[in-house]
Amino acid sequence: YLIGDPKQAIYKFRGADIYSYLDAQQQAEHQFTLGKNWRSHPQLVGAVNALFQRDHAFLLDGLEFIEVKPALSANDGELHHAGQAVAPMQLWQLPESDSNSGYWTAGKAAEEIRIAVVNEVVDLLTGDYSLQPMNRVLQPKDIAILVRPNSQARDYQAALRLVGVPSVLNSTESV
């Protein structure tokens, strides 16, 4: 039996190994995955489903997207800005670099992304944002930033603290 989620198997920074998953998938007689997402708002589940439903979305043979249903309801909190619902997923792209090559170095791109993310967090916490229908303002505990190495997490935590946003670091280093 294989019990797993191919979407989770791609997260190498969490210790996952996609090739081990694919090998196990070929050997298993029966495969099971959860049919419901218990963490995300229904609109975000729908957006993720729409994003990855195209053919060959993961660019690896044997790795197929399995659509899930939301377990939560709209009553579990929808982000609103100035009374209007906010899109559940937003994709960002850095503008063209002003360097001679037109490309960002990895370090400079990471720095620009960190600045943009921290500014977005500050805006979410200080702007006219609320979770509806609970009618409560967004709080730091409502926000998570996923990064790859722990050093990057520490950089984000330091940047958040510089602008007065409390944060905790969840890492496997101390486990």
Side-chain angles (χ1 to χ4, degrees):
Y1 289 89
L2 174 65
I3 301 173
D5 182 349
K7 294 182 300 303
Q8 294 296 315
I10 64 173
Y11 293 118
K12 185 176 182 180
F13 71 94
R14 291 174 133 186
D17 180 351
I18 188 62
Y19 299 104
S20 294
Y21 175 84
L22 291 172
D23 288 345
Q25 183 181 31
Q26 289 178 351
Q27 296 174 30
E29 290 182 37
H30 305 284
Q31 297 180 31
F32 298 94
T33 189
L34 295 177
K36 291 185 178 179
N37 178 313
W38 291 88
R39 294 183 181 177
S40 301
H41 190 275
Q43 289 182 349
L44 180 58
V45 173
V48 170
N49 285 340
L51 181 66
F52 289 112
Q53 282 180 330
R54 68 185 202 279
D55 289 335
H56 214 56
F58 294 113
L59 307 176
L60 268 175
D61 291 332
L63 188 60
E64 300 300 323
F65 177 76
I66 301 168
E67 181 178 339
V68 296
K69 303 290 183 213
L72 302 178
S73 74
N75 291 334
D76 288 305
E78 179 179 58
L79 184 62
H80 282 233
H81 180 256
Q84 297 294 316
V86 175
M89 179 185 291
Q90 296 180 30
L91 303 178
W92 291 2
Q93 181 174 337
L94 284 174
E96 188 174 305
S97 170
D98 56 6
S99 70
N100 291 338
S101 69
Y103 296 102
W104 293 93
T105 64
K108 185 64 176 162
E111 180 183 337
E112 290 296 315
I113 292 167
R114 186 172 47 253
I115 291 167
V117 169
V118 168
N119 286 339
E120 180 74 5
V121 169
V122 169
D123 187 43
L124 287 167
L125 295 173
T126 60
D128 189 13
Y129 288 92
S130 63
L131 288 175
Q132 298 298 331
M134 297 89 78
N135 196 29
R136 77 167 177 81
V137 297
L138 211 57
Q139 300 171 12
K141 70 178 184 176
D142 297 317
I143 299 171
I145 302 171
L146 300 178
V147 295
R148 291 180 181 216
N150 289 324
S151 61
Q152 206 174 35
R154 287 188 290 272
D155 292 343
Y156 272 86
Q157 185 177 46
L160 288 166
R161 286 182 175 169
L162 278 175
V163 295
V165 176
S167 63
V168 294
L169 180 66
N170 188 3
S171 161
T172 59
E173 278 187 342
S174 62
V175 173

